[in-house]
Amino acid sequence: MSRARADDAPLGTFEEQILVAVLRTGDEAYGMNVRRELEEVTGRELAIGAVYATLDRLEEKGLLDSTRRRDRGAGASRRVFELTPAGAVALSETRDMRERLWQGVEVPRPSSS
Amino acid sequence: MKNEVARQSAPRLPLALLRALLSRAERDEISADVVEEYHARAAKQGRAAASRWLWRQALGSAPALLRWGWWREWTGFVPRANAYQAGGSMLRSWIADAQYAARRLRARPTYAALAALTLALGVGGTTAVYGIARGLLFDPLPFANEDEVGVFWKKQDWSEQEFLHVRGRVPGFAQVALYRPRAMRLREGDGPLRLVPGISSSAELFEVLGAAPTQGRGFQAGDDVEGAERVAVVSYGLWQELGASPDMVGAALTLDGIPHTVIGIMPRGFWFPDPTVRIWTPVPISADAETFNSTLVGRVEPGQDVRRVATPIAQLTALLVERFDYPPQWDKTVNPRITPVRDDMIGRMRPALLATLGAMALILLIACANVAALMLGQVHDRSAELAVRLAMGANRTRLTRQLFVEALLIAAAAGALGAGVAWGGYRLLARALPLGAWAEGAVPDWSLFAVALAIAASAAVLVVLVPAVSLWRGDLRVAMGTSRTGRLEGRGGRLESGLVVAEVALAVLVASGAALVAHSVVKLYALDTGVRAEGVGVLDVVIPTSGGLSGRRQTVEELTTALAGLPGVLSAGASQVLPLREGGYNVSLSIEGQPNPPGMSSEFRIVTPGYLETMGFELLDGRTITADDRDETERVVVINQAFVDKYFADVNPIGQRMADEETARVVGVVRNASERRLTDDAVPVRYVAVAQMPWVDEAQSFVLKAAPGADLVGLLDAARRRVQEVRPTAAVRSVSSMSSVLAGAVGPARQVVSLLSLLSGLALVLGAVGIYGATLHFAARRRRDWAIRVALGLSSAGAVTQVFNRGAALVAVGVGLGAVAAAALARLLSPLLYDVATLDPVAFVGAGSVLLAVGLLAAWVPARRAGDVDPATVLREQ
């Protein structure tokens, strides 16, 4: 199995979205919250399984890190994510690339809606 | 907890699905979040919408979660946040369980070794025996449609004349071939002359067998007539030995001094009629040849079964009677029978193989029972440990899995050991059983090895599951309680006792079978053969046919003299057939001055002077054959006691005259010897002088008596060299001793008895281990009970008696059951038995009492130890 690394492959769209959602949720970046955040922004329903699978893959790639935080009832804890430096680099590179790609490009608006 | 309550009101099914798909480390966390969200949605949009959402989440997550699970297993990825959470990768926890089980086994080396060794012996042994038996009993013979091929009755008793009379018109048969063994002297370049076992046959042979050479051709019509070109078909093995030249077909080969052209090479693995035969030549069939020395083998019409040709056989005998007059002793119309080719070739081996196979299967059963009993003892002891671990929060699945892994580890060790046992045992068996060259084609059967191992492993796993079941039933509090009190006066261990009883019973079964066969062999050896086999060496020699009758006589005489002159040899002689080897001539006779009803005959042996003395025939009256009995002197004959009893009951036999072709005078009477088979009654025999006979056989058996203390093997080697010096054209076919001829006559039972003794020894050891283990375990369970008694001032003798009685009871029940089973199954062994009833008391009492003795001893040792209880220690321990 070949492992994609931050420096040799651009992020997938969903990966990018997840990473941005982790940034947006800040300290509350646990799986369910990331899912909710994305749903609210994109307006489409997401399966929690897909979110967790991607979070895991990003952690394995070294773009995310997870720790446990005890913030509800006794004994229960949540796995909370944050961007690693490599994750931040990958995200900003993706963003730069996107912006370069869009420079001077106008999308013709459809004449009728 | 609030979440618990909340989760209960959420729809269970989608939640359960989600939980099942999630990894254990995150299951609770994620489902709690999902439930939280569900309730939030239920409050906002109503329960129905929230439920639909939950279903969508569960079903929508399934593909991603399944992939995710596999991905984690595959990469072994553990999120940093989960590093200290329970349950990581499945694979890792299995490895950890294996390591734990290995540690536990190392801590109990005796138990681990016993269990693995027991299984290995059972599994390996069964594989070895089956490897040999399969080839002989089940594998197809190297002939096409073997069910269509059968051997005619009266083997080696058909003449070419008879064959020609019926050739091509045997009812019911597509083809019939005639064949007879013929050892051929083969000289290769300047190399030494060697004897190659071969077959002379009519041209139909390969068609009857449904086999064709891989190179060249088989025989064809016209190969077997007088004056045809001399041709030969060689076996693959012989071709290889002769250099595997690609030009072999068409090359010349000198056989018996005559050049033959090689016309074909048979495929690898082909043999007929036994694997030692390496060359086949057509025999020039003559209508005048009246020698009864050939065998007929035929193939029925395609699709027919050779076992169902009764009517055609009757037609065949009618055909024979049309032309030939049979004296009663050679009457071919009596008991005509076609034997399927497999039965003909393997029939003698079958009972021995089946007996061994049966014994091996029993050993496998004993091994399974033994391992089961051993494990059961272990897991009983562990119930306390399991209860404690469970109470401390251990996972039930995990505990069960650890037990399971432990059983698998033992099975794996047994597999490795068993493979060695299978290989070694197989080679041992190939030598010990009367297989001859069949052993070459047999290999250990590794697929059976896998099956046997699987059976044994399943037995181990099943046993392990007994405590696992109680684990799941949740009666561990009881287990903890009883383990603390040592199950005061509890009974328990019923399954363990049952297993031990079964083990003992099976051991009795094997041992009594072995004892039956052993008793039979002892009886066979005790039979009076009439000759003294000790110190007698045998050389089977094929003498050259050149020089005619006088040349052959001279060769026999010169070789006898040369052998007798070897240092360390007391005397030597020769005969065309030795006692205890089947075969030889039966010649008609008439006695002067008696009515002589038709059909009078006796066995007929042509011997040299010194032969009767060398073989240790006891002279009862008159003299034996001497060097003075020449061609030109009066023909003499020595007869045996059975001859006297039958034909000279009322007169002094010495001086009586009788005739076959010429008149001969009786000069001596010797004691009866087993001239035919060991177990046949004595038959009348005439011994006549080779110097006075109008024919001398090519095949001669020379015998020599070694001086006391002389080395027979060295002597035989010297004798072989001496034969080559005196007659370089003679070929020594084999060198053996009369003792091995006797052993051969005792038959497969002799070889089987050593094997069965070995197996019953094994059964005995396994049985003893089982009894010892069960008794020890029984004692251990009651230690506390006795400690209390001893502390109260009672003697410890009661403990000893109780433990011993318990063990003894198991042994007694086992022996009893085993004896009943043995009595029921003993008649299966009857083909191997001679003069021993299948309910032979000697064998049964012998086997039963040995097992009883060993079993009681195995119970006594732990019982003695049970008496040494120190109440202070025991009670403190618990």
Side-chain angles (χ1 to χ4, degrees), chain B residues 358-407:
Chain B
M360 234 25 264
L362 291 180
I363 296 281
L364 182 63
L365 271 180
I366 295 177
C368 285
N370 206 355
V371 170
L374 273 171
M375 288 197 154
L376 209 57
Q378 285 294 316
V379 295
H380 263 286
D381 294 345
R382 288 183 66 180
S383 47
E385 177 208 323
L386 295 178
V388 170
R389 286 173 60 191
L390 201 60
M392 290 179 72
N395 180 293
R396 278 166 202 257
T397 322
R398 195 74 189 269
L399 286 184
T400 313
R401 207 164 73 188
Q402 280 168 356
L403 292 172
F404 183 72
V405 166
E406 195 176 308

Side-chain angles (χ1 to χ4, degrees), chain B residues 823-847:
Chain B
L825 293 175
R827 71 197 157 75
L828 296 179
L829 284 175
S830 57
L832 285 173
L833 301 183
Y834 166 75
D835 196 25
V836 173
T838 49
L839 293 177
D840 179 43
V842 178
F844 278 74
V845 172

